[in-house]
Amino acid sequence: MTDLSGKTIIAIGCGTPDGQINNGFAAVRAFLAAGARVCIVDRDAAALEHARAALDAGDSLGGEAPRFTTVAADVGDEDSLTAAFAHCAEVLGTPTVLHYNVGIVVNGGLDTLDAEDFRTALDINLLGAFRAMKLALGHMREAGGGSIITVSSVGGMRHMGYDYPAYAASKAGLIALTKATALQHAAEGIRANSIAPGLIETPLIHGSISGHYASVEEMLAARHALSPTGRMGRPEDVADLAVFLASDAAAYINATVIPVDGGLVHRAGGVEHDTTTAVDDTN
C-alpha cells in the first residue's frame, strides 16, 4: 500500500454535501488511509460538517495528534484561502501536497453565454487554482519540495459533445497552468500533475442528470455504454491516482495530465450523448 505517513495534504473542494462519496471526499479518505494528515477545505460549511461526521464515525483515525481538520474557504477569495493554508499549517503542519478538486459547469455555447458566465467559470476553475497553487508554493519551498495535484477533466483535452465551451476552456487552461508550474518549479523539488476524470459515477449525476432519462437505470446504462470499458469509473479510481501522485513513489512524474476515463479520451470518433446533461464529474 502507498505510504503517505508524514505528509500534510490540503484538499480543496473536498467536502461532501450529503455525506456520500464524491471524487473529492474519496480522495480525502484515501489520503487518510495511506497515513497522511489532511486539511479539508470547502466553501460549503454543511459539506465540511458531513465530511467531519463521516470521518469521525470511522475507526481508523486513532492517535494522539489530529489526523484531519476542516476549514471553510472560497477559492474566489484570496484572503480566505490564505487563512485556510495558515490553519492547515498551524493544526497539522506545513502542507507539502495540494489537491485542487474544484470545478463548476457553465452550460451554453458562444451564442448564449455572456461574458460574466464565462468569467465565472474561469474564476473558479482556473483562477481559483492559480490562487491555491501560488499559496502552496510558499509552503512547499519552506519544506523543500512538494506535490501539486489538480483535478481537471477530459473535457479540457477533447470535445466531449457537451455544449460548455467555458468549462472546456477553463479545464484546458488548468492543464496548461499545471504543466507550466511543474516545469518552472521542478528544480525546487516541486512537482505538478493533473488528473483528468472522464465519466465517473458520483452522487452528483444521480441528482443532476437522471431527470433527463426515463429512469436512473436508463441513465446509468447510457453512461456506462459510453466508456470503452463498458462502465463508468468510481470516485475511488480518481482517488487512487491522487494518492500515488502525492507519494514519493511518483517522485519522477511531473508535468503530466493523466486521464481516468477507461480510454474514452483516446477513442476515435465522437462521443454521442444528450448535450443538455452536462455535469462536472470532477467533484
Side-chain angles (χ1 to χ4, degrees), residues 121 150 246:
T150 63

Side-chain angles (χ1 to χ4, degrees), residues 71-268:
V71 59
D74 188 333
V75 299
D77 181 347
E78 188 167 347
D79 288 341
S80 73
L81 266 185
T82 300
F85 273 86
H87 173 82
C88 178
E90 179 182 357
V91 176
L92 300 178
T94 300
T96 58
V97 178
L98 165 65
H99 185 69
Y100 189 83
N101 183 83
V102 177
I104 63 163
V105 172
V106 176
N107 283 315
L110 296 184
D111 54 344
T112 59
L113 278 174
D114 60 34
E116 190 58 35
D117 291 332
F118 199 91
R119 189 176 293 112
T120 297
L122 290 180
D123 188 56
I124 294 174
N125 297 352
L126 181 54
L127 282 174
F130 165 78
R131 296 179 187 106
M133 291 163 72
K134 188 170 184 177
L135 287 165
L137 284 172
H139 291 276
M140 292 177 184
R141 285 189 177 117
E142 176 185 332
S147 174
I148 293 170
I149 305 163
T150 63
V151 181
S152 55
S153 170
V154 293
M157 301 176 69
R158 65 166 286 179
H159 179 58
M160 299 302 294
Y162 292 133
D163 190 19
Y164 57 16
Y167 175 80
S170 65
K171 291 294 187 175
L174 178 58
I175 290 169
L177 174 64
T178 303
K179 291 181 177 181
T181 300
L183 296 175
Q184 184 178 3
H185 298 283
E188 299 174 81
I190 297 170
R191 300 180 293 111
N193 297 284
S194 192
I195 299 173
L199 298 171
I200 307 295
E201 188 175 356
T202 65
L204 184 63
I205 69 169
H206 288 261
S208 298
I209 72 173
S210 61
H212 295 274
Y213 296 85
S215 65
V216 171
E217 290 74 20
E218 180 183 304
M219 179 268 292
L220 292 174
R223 288 172 69 85
H224 285 314
L226 290 173
S227 173
T229 66
R231 70 166 181 88
M232 283 185 283
R234 303 167 300 117
E236 291 81 4
D237 295 320
V238 179
D240 288 344
L241 179 55
V243 169
F244 174 68
L245 291 175
S247 75
D248 295 338
Y252 205 57
I253 297 177
N254 194 33
T256 64
V257 53
I258 305 175
V260 180
D261 68 344
L264 178 65
V265 75
H266 295 296
R267 187 171 66 181

